[in-house]
Amino acid sequence: MTSASVTVDILDQAREQVLERGEGLSESQVLDVLRLGDDRLEDLLALAHDVRMKWCGPEVEVEGIISLKTGGCPEDCHFCSQSGLFQSPVRAAWLDIPSLVEAAKQTAKSGATEFCIVAAVRGPDEKLLAQVAAGIEAIRNEVDIQIACSLGMLTQEQVDQLAAMGVHRYNHNLETSKSHFPNVVTTHTWEERWDTLRMVREAGMEVCCGGILGMGETLEQRAEFAANLAELEPDEVPLNFLNPRPGTPFGDLEVLPASEALKSIAAFRLALPRTILRFAGGREITLGDLGAKQGILGGINAVIVGNYLTTLGRPAESDLDLLIDLQMPIKALNDTL
Protein backbone atom coordinates (compact mmCIF):
# COMPACT_ATOMS: atom_id res chain seq x y z
CA MET A 1 0.00 0.00 0.00
CA THR A 2 1.40 3.42 -0.90
CA SER A 3 1.81 6.20 1.61
CA ALA A 4 -0.71 8.26 -0.39
CA SER A 5 -3.41 5.62 0.02
CA VAL A 6 -2.65 5.32 3.76
CA THR A 7 -3.01 9.11 4.01
CA VAL A 8 -6.39 9.12 2.31
CA ASP A 9 -7.52 6.17 4.41
CA ILE A 10 -6.84 7.68 7.82
CA LEU A 11 -8.24 11.11 6.99
CA ASP A 12 -11.32 9.56 5.43
CA GLN A 13 -11.72 7.31 8.47
CA ALA A 14 -11.34 10.29 10.81
CA ARG A 15 -13.82 12.35 8.84
CA GLU A 16 -16.50 9.67 9.11
CA GLN A 17 -15.65 8.45 12.63
CA VAL A 18 -14.74 11.67 14.45
CA LEU A 19 -16.36 14.50 12.49
CA GLU A 20 -19.62 12.75 11.67
CA ARG A 21 -20.05 10.46 14.71
CA GLY A 22 -17.97 12.19 17.39
CA GLU A 23 -15.97 9.06 18.22
CA GLY A 24 -12.29 9.72 18.95
CA LEU A 25 -9.51 7.95 17.09
CA SER A 26 -7.94 4.85 18.62
CA GLU A 27 -4.26 4.61 19.55
CA SER A 28 -3.34 2.92 16.25
CA GLN A 29 -5.33 5.49 14.27
CA VAL A 30 -3.60 8.36 16.10
CA LEU A 31 -0.27 6.78 15.16
CA ASP A 32 -1.35 6.75 11.50
CA VAL A 33 -2.12 10.47 11.77
CA LEU A 34 1.25 11.23 13.40
CA ARG A 35 3.01 9.38 10.55
CA LEU A 36 1.40 11.51 7.84
CA GLY A 37 3.76 13.36 5.52
CA ASP A 38 4.09 17.13 5.79
CA ASP A 39 2.32 17.41 2.42
CA ARG A 40 -0.89 16.30 4.18
CA LEU A 41 -0.58 18.71 7.12
CA GLU A 42 -2.94 21.33 5.68
CA ASP A 43 -5.70 18.77 5.11
CA LEU A 44 -5.16 17.32 8.59
CA LEU A 45 -5.36 20.70 10.31
CA ALA A 46 -8.52 21.59 8.36
CA LEU A 47 -10.20 18.36 9.48
CA ALA A 48 -9.15 18.90 13.11
CA HIS A 49 -10.58 22.43 12.95
CA ASP A 50 -13.87 21.11 11.56
CA VAL A 51 -14.02 18.58 14.42
CA ARG A 52 -13.35 21.27 17.00
CA MET A 53 -16.02 23.57 15.53
CA LYS A 54 -18.63 20.81 15.36
CA TRP A 55 -18.11 19.24 18.79
CA CYS A 56 -16.82 22.20 20.84
CA GLY A 57 -18.00 25.29 18.97
CA PRO A 58 -16.08 28.47 18.07
CA GLU A 59 -15.45 29.81 21.59
CA VAL A 60 -11.93 29.92 23.03
CA GLU A 61 -11.36 29.62 26.79
CA VAL A 62 -8.66 31.94 28.12
CA GLU A 63 -6.72 31.24 31.33
CA GLY A 64 -3.93 32.86 33.32
CA ILE A 65 -1.63 31.02 35.73
CA ILE A 66 0.44 32.13 38.71
CA SER A 67 2.94 30.30 40.89
CA LEU A 68 2.20 30.51 44.63
CA LYS A 69 5.35 28.55 45.42
CA THR A 70 8.16 28.50 42.87
CA GLY A 71 11.22 26.21 42.84
CA GLY A 72 12.63 23.93 45.50
CA CYS A 73 10.53 20.94 44.44
CA PRO A 74 11.83 17.55 45.70
CA GLU A 75 10.80 15.66 42.55
CA ASP A 76 13.11 14.94 39.59
CA CYS A 77 10.86 15.69 36.59
CA HIS A 78 13.62 15.90 33.96
CA PHE A 79 12.04 18.80 32.06
CA CYS A 80 11.51 21.09 35.03
CA SER A 81 13.78 23.88 36.24
CA GLN A 82 11.82 24.05 39.50
CA SER A 83 13.30 20.79 40.76
CA GLY A 84 15.58 21.33 43.71
CA LEU A 85 17.70 18.41 42.49
CA PHE A 86 19.09 20.11 39.36
CA GLN A 87 21.57 22.94 38.84
CA SER A 88 18.97 25.20 37.27
CA PRO A 89 18.64 28.93 38.02
CA VAL A 90 15.14 28.79 39.59
CA ARG A 91 15.20 29.10 43.37
CA ALA A 92 12.46 28.57 45.96
CA ALA A 93 10.13 31.53 46.56
CA TRP A 94 6.62 32.15 47.91
CA LEU A 95 4.08 34.65 46.61
CA ASP A 96 2.11 36.72 49.14
CA ILE A 97 -1.68 37.01 49.10
CA PRO A 98 -1.89 40.65 47.84
CA SER A 99 0.32 39.71 44.88
CA LEU A 100 -1.90 36.71 44.19
CA VAL A 101 -5.03 38.88 44.18
CA GLU A 102 -3.35 41.43 41.90
CA ALA A 103 -2.37 38.65 39.48
CA ALA A 104 -5.98 37.42 39.45
CA LYS A 105 -7.20 40.96 38.70
CA GLN A 106 -4.78 41.34 35.81
CA THR A 107 -5.79 37.93 34.49
CA ALA A 108 -9.48 38.84 34.60
CA LYS A 109 -8.76 42.11 32.76
CA SER A 110 -7.34 40.09 29.85
CA GLY A 111 -10.74 38.45 29.38
CA ALA A 112 -9.70 35.18 31.04
CA THR A 113 -12.38 33.16 32.81
CA GLU A 114 -9.97 30.87 34.66
CA PHE A 115 -7.14 31.63 37.10
CA CYS A 116 -4.90 28.75 38.12
CA ILE A 117 -2.86 28.73 41.35
CA VAL A 118 0.21 26.54 40.93
CA ALA A 119 2.82 25.30 43.41
CA ALA A 120 6.05 23.42 42.74
CA VAL A 121 5.61 20.59 45.24
CA ARG A 122 5.23 16.82 45.33
CA GLY A 123 1.95 17.45 47.11
CA PRO A 124 0.58 20.17 49.40
CA ASP A 125 1.29 20.31 53.14
CA GLU A 126 -0.93 22.06 55.69
CA LYS A 127 0.91 25.37 55.28
CA LEU A 128 0.39 25.39 51.53
CA LEU A 129 -3.28 24.43 51.74
CA ALA A 130 -3.85 27.19 54.29
CA GLN A 131 -2.15 29.66 51.93
CA VAL A 132 -4.31 28.45 49.04
CA ALA A 133 -7.49 28.77 51.11
CA ALA A 134 -6.57 32.32 52.13
CA GLY A 135 -5.70 33.18 48.54
CA ILE A 136 -8.97 31.83 47.17
CA GLU A 137 -11.00 33.75 49.76
CA ALA A 138 -9.12 36.98 49.01
CA ILE A 139 -9.53 36.56 45.24
CA ARG A 140 -13.25 35.81 45.56
CA ASN A 141 -13.74 39.02 47.54
CA GLU A 142 -12.36 41.13 44.69
CA VAL A 143 -12.41 39.24 41.37
CA ASP A 144 -15.13 37.45 39.41
CA ILE A 145 -13.15 34.52 38.02
CA GLN A 146 -13.11 30.73 38.23
CA ILE A 147 -10.27 29.34 40.33
CA ALA A 148 -8.27 26.25 39.45
CA CYS A 149 -5.35 24.71 41.32
CA SER A 150 -2.28 22.63 40.48
CA LEU A 151 -0.63 21.47 43.69
CA GLY A 152 0.81 18.06 42.85
CA MET A 153 -0.39 14.69 44.12
CA LEU A 154 -3.23 14.67 46.65
CA THR A 155 -4.66 12.50 49.41
CA GLN A 156 -8.41 11.95 49.60
CA GLU A 157 -8.61 14.39 52.53
CA GLN A 158 -6.83 17.08 50.50
CA VAL A 159 -9.11 16.51 47.51
CA ASP A 160 -12.11 16.99 49.79
CA GLN A 161 -10.59 20.19 51.24
CA LEU A 162 -10.03 21.72 47.79
CA ALA A 163 -13.54 20.78 46.68
CA ALA A 164 -14.92 22.46 49.82
CA MET A 165 -12.92 25.62 48.96
CA GLY A 166 -14.81 25.78 45.68
CA VAL A 167 -11.92 24.92 43.40
CA HIS A 168 -13.48 24.63 39.96
CA ARG A 169 -10.82 22.59 38.17
CA TYR A 170 -7.71 20.71 39.25
CA ASN A 171 -4.66 20.37 37.03
CA HIS A 172 -2.36 17.42 37.39
CA ASN A 173 -0.54 16.39 34.23
CA LEU A 174 0.34 12.81 33.38
CA GLU A 175 3.13 14.52 31.35
CA THR A 176 3.68 11.65 28.90
CA SER A 177 2.64 8.10 28.08
CA LYS A 178 2.70 5.39 30.75
CA SER A 179 5.56 3.57 28.99
CA HIS A 180 7.75 6.69 28.65
CA PHE A 181 7.08 8.12 32.13
CA PRO A 182 9.98 6.30 33.90
CA ASN A 183 12.38 8.05 31.48
CA VAL A 184 10.98 11.42 32.58
CA VAL A 185 10.38 11.04 36.34
CA THR A 186 11.82 8.53 38.83
CA THR A 187 10.75 9.96 42.20
CA HIS A 188 7.09 8.99 41.80
CA THR A 189 5.01 6.86 39.45
CA TRP A 190 2.54 7.47 36.65
CA GLU A 191 -0.02 5.50 38.68
CA GLU A 192 0.29 7.93 41.61
CA ARG A 193 -0.66 10.76 39.28
CA TRP A 194 -3.55 8.74 37.85
CA ASP A 195 -4.91 8.07 41.37
CA THR A 196 -4.99 11.80 42.16
CA LEU A 197 -6.92 12.48 38.95
CA ARG A 198 -9.44 9.74 39.74
CA MET A 199 -10.11 11.21 43.21
CA VAL A 200 -10.48 14.72 41.76
CA ARG A 201 -13.06 13.50 39.25
CA GLU A 202 -15.00 11.59 41.92
CA ALA A 203 -15.08 14.71 44.13
CA GLY A 204 -16.89 16.63 41.39
CA MET A 205 -14.08 18.96 40.32
CA GLU A 206 -13.23 19.27 36.63
CA VAL A 207 -10.12 17.37 35.59
CA CYS A 208 -7.35 19.18 33.73
CA CYS A 209 -4.66 16.79 32.55
CA GLY A 210 -2.15 17.02 29.73
CA GLY A 211 1.57 16.89 29.27
CA ILE A 212 4.64 17.86 27.33
CA LEU A 213 5.51 16.71 23.82
CA GLY A 214 9.09 16.53 22.59
CA MET A 215 10.66 14.80 25.62
CA GLY A 216 12.32 12.07 23.59
CA GLU A 217 9.18 9.98 23.20
CA THR A 218 8.60 7.96 20.02
CA LEU A 219 5.60 8.54 17.77
CA GLU A 220 4.20 5.28 19.18
CA GLN A 221 4.48 6.69 22.71
CA ARG A 222 2.87 9.95 21.62
CA ALA A 223 -0.08 7.97 20.27
CA GLU A 224 -0.14 5.95 23.50
CA PHE A 225 -0.32 9.18 25.49
CA ALA A 226 -3.33 10.35 23.47
CA ALA A 227 -5.01 7.02 24.22
CA ASN A 228 -4.15 7.31 27.94
CA LEU A 229 -5.84 10.72 28.01
CA ALA A 230 -8.86 9.46 26.09
CA GLU A 231 -9.30 6.74 28.72
CA LEU A 232 -9.14 9.36 31.50
CA GLU A 233 -11.68 11.62 29.73
CA PRO A 234 -10.38 14.92 31.17
CA ASP A 235 -12.39 18.11 30.80
CA GLU A 236 -9.26 19.91 29.62
CA VAL A 237 -5.93 18.87 28.08
CA PRO A 238 -3.12 21.45 28.15
CA LEU A 239 -0.60 20.66 25.41
CA ASN A 240 2.91 21.83 26.22
CA PHE A 241 5.98 21.53 23.98
CA LEU A 242 9.36 21.06 25.60
CA ASN A 243 11.25 24.32 26.00
CA PRO A 244 14.63 22.86 27.09
CA ARG A 245 15.68 24.46 30.38
CA PRO A 246 19.37 24.94 31.21
CA GLY A 247 20.56 22.72 34.05
CA THR A 248 17.85 20.08 33.63
CA PRO A 249 18.43 16.55 32.24
CA PHE A 250 16.40 17.52 29.15
CA GLY A 251 18.23 20.82 28.71
CA ASP A 252 20.04 19.64 25.57
CA LEU A 253 17.08 18.09 23.75
CA GLU A 254 16.13 19.55 20.38
CA VAL A 255 12.97 21.66 20.10
CA LEU A 256 10.17 19.74 18.42
CA PRO A 257 9.84 20.66 14.71
CA ALA A 258 6.80 22.85 14.06
CA SER A 259 5.24 20.37 11.62
CA GLU A 260 5.43 17.59 14.24
CA ALA A 261 3.90 19.86 16.86
CA LEU A 262 1.01 20.82 14.56
CA LYS A 263 0.41 17.17 13.59
CA SER A 264 0.29 16.32 17.29
CA ILE A 265 -2.24 19.06 18.01
CA ALA A 266 -4.51 17.78 15.26
CA ALA A 267 -4.03 14.14 16.29
CA PHE A 268 -4.96 14.90 19.91
CA ARG A 269 -8.05 16.79 18.74
CA LEU A 270 -9.09 13.78 16.66
CA ALA A 271 -8.55 11.51 19.69
CA LEU A 272 -10.43 13.89 22.03
CA PRO A 273 -13.14 15.57 19.93
CA ARG A 274 -15.10 17.15 22.83
CA THR A 275 -12.24 18.11 25.14
CA ILE A 276 -10.92 21.61 25.86
CA LEU A 277 -7.51 21.46 24.13
CA ARG A 278 -5.32 24.23 25.47
CA PHE A 279 -2.21 25.84 24.02
CA ALA A 280 0.29 25.91 26.89
CA GLY A 281 4.05 26.22 27.44
CA GLY A 282 6.62 26.03 24.68
CA ARG A 283 4.34 27.03 21.82
CA GLU A 284 6.26 30.27 21.22
CA ILE A 285 9.65 28.62 20.71
CA THR A 286 8.14 25.64 18.86
CA LEU A 287 5.60 27.32 16.60
CA GLY A 288 6.11 31.09 16.58
CA ASP A 289 3.33 33.48 15.57
CA LEU A 290 2.31 31.70 12.36
CA GLY A 291 2.20 28.33 14.10
CA ALA A 292 0.02 29.74 16.85
CA LYS A 293 -2.50 30.75 14.20
CA GLN A 294 -2.29 27.32 12.54
CA GLY A 295 -2.80 25.60 15.89
CA ILE A 296 -5.93 27.58 16.70
CA LEU A 297 -7.19 26.71 13.21
CA GLY A 298 -6.10 23.09 13.73
CA GLY A 299 -7.96 21.95 16.82
CA ILE A 300 -6.96 24.22 19.72
CA ASN A 301 -9.84 25.89 21.59
CA ALA A 302 -8.18 27.34 24.69
CA VAL A 303 -5.03 29.30 25.51
CA ILE A 304 -2.94 30.28 28.50
CA VAL A 305 -2.21 33.98 28.13
CA GLY A 306 0.78 35.85 29.49
CA ASN A 307 3.77 34.12 31.07
CA TYR A 308 4.15 30.54 32.27
CA LEU A 309 5.74 29.33 35.48
CA THR A 310 9.43 29.67 34.59
CA THR A 311 9.36 30.85 30.97
CA LEU A 312 7.98 33.90 29.19
CA GLY A 313 4.95 33.64 26.95
CA ARG A 314 3.53 36.00 24.35
CA PRO A 315 1.96 39.23 25.63
CA ALA A 316 -1.69 38.53 26.47
CA GLU A 317 -2.70 41.28 24.03
CA SER A 318 -1.03 39.41 21.15
CA ASP A 319 -3.09 36.27 21.78
CA LEU A 320 -6.31 38.23 22.22
CA ASP A 321 -5.66 40.18 19.01
CA LEU A 322 -5.07 36.89 17.21
CA LEU A 323 -8.42 35.51 18.43
CA ILE A 324 -10.18 38.67 17.25
CA ASP A 325 -8.43 38.40 13.88
CA LEU A 326 -9.56 34.78 13.54
CA GLN A 327 -13.09 35.71 14.66
CA MET A 328 -12.89 33.31 17.59
CA PRO A 329 -15.10 34.58 20.44
CA ILE A 330 -13.64 34.43 23.95
CA LYS A 331 -15.69 32.24 26.24
CA ALA A 332 -17.68 34.37 28.71
CA LEU A 333 -17.46 33.62 32.42
CA ASN A 334 -21.21 33.20 32.91
CA ASP A 335 -21.22 30.44 30.30
CA THR A 336 -18.80 28.37 32.38
CA LEU A 337 -20.50 28.65 35.77
Side-chain angles (χ1 to χ4, degrees), residues 33-307:
V33 169
L34 293 172
R35 286 174 170 164
L36 290 174
D38 289 355
D39 59 322
R40 301 301 292 160
L41 180 59
E42 192 175 326
D43 292 339
L44 171 61
L45 292 173
L47 174 58
H49 179 64
D50 288 345
V51 167
R52 169 262 173 117
M53 293 295 282
K54 177 168 182 177
W55 297 106
C56 298
E59 291 186 322
V60 177
E61 187 184 281
V62 177
E63 179 183 44
I65 60 175
I66 191 72
S67 183
L68 180 61
K69 177 191 175 291
T70 302
C73 182
E75 305 305 289
D76 74 344
C77 305
H78 291 13
F79 53 83
C80 187
S81 58
Q82 298 200 66
S83 172
L85 305 177
F86 309 142
Q87 296 301 311
S88 50
V90 176
R91 291 293 168 258
W94 285 79
L95 191 68
D96 61 31
I97 298 299
S99 299
L100 194 66
V101 173
E102 182 58 29
K105 286 181 178 178
Q106 294 305 314
T107 297
K109 281 181 183 176
S110 75
T113 57
E114 194 91 15
F115 180 67
C116 188
I117 301 170
V118 183
V121 290
R122 176 185 174 89
D125 57 17
E126 286 187 24
K127 175 188 175 185
L128 177 55
L129 280 179
Q131 190 89 341
V132 169
I136 289 175
E137 183 178 6
I139 291 168
R140 285 240 165 82
N141 288 336
E142 298 197 43
V143 189
D144 184 18
I145 198 165
Q146 306 254 45
I147 299 173
C149 286
S150 181
L151 311 171
M153 292 174 288
L154 303 174
T155 64
Q156 184 63 60
E157 183 182 0
Q158 291 168 338
V159 168
D160 295 340
Q161 286 178 275
L162 290 171
M165 290 176 203
V167 172
H168 163 67
R169 185 180 292 164
Y170 192 79
N171 165 257
H172 192 50
N173 289 338
L174 288 170
E175 303 301 7
T176 191
S177 67
K178 188 174 182 179
S179 68
H180 189 50
F181 191 85
N183 301 317
V184 178
V185 184
T186 68
T187 47
H188 59 265
T189 66
W190 193 89
E191 287 79 7
E192 286 177 282
R193 291 187 176 228
W194 185 274
D195 288 343
T196 286
L197 293 160
R198 176 184 51 78
M199 289 188 288
V200 166
R201 160 74 44 72
E202 290 172 357
M205 286 182 277
E206 288 192 2
V207 173
C208 171
C209 178
I212 305 173
L213 305 182
M215 296 195 294
E217 74 277 3
T218 62
L219 289 185
E220 288 82 2
Q221 287 169 325
R222 211 169 288 165
E224 178 195 348
F225 183 36
N228 295 151
L229 291 171
E231 182 183 351
L232 179 67
E233 296 183 328
D235 299 277
E236 174 189 338
V237 171
L239 271 187
N240 300 268
F241 304 97
L242 183 69
N243 184 347
R245 297 288 84 205
T248 66
F250 287 169
D252 294 326
L253 288 182
E254 295 289 324
V255 172
L256 198 66
S259 62
E260 266 195 67
L262 289 168
K263 266 182 242 178
S264 299
I265 289 168
F268 276 64
R269 169 53 68 206
L270 296 178
L272 300 153
R274 294 175 178 80
T275 301
I276 297 170
L277 195 59
R278 188 181 297 279
F279 252 158
R283 62 187 166 106
E284 295 81 9
I285 189 173
T286 305
L287 295 170
D289 289 350
L290 177 61
K293 183 174 181 178
Q294 288 177 295
I296 291 173
L297 293 176
I300 291 290
N301 66 328
V303 294
I304 292 176
V305 294
N307 296 329

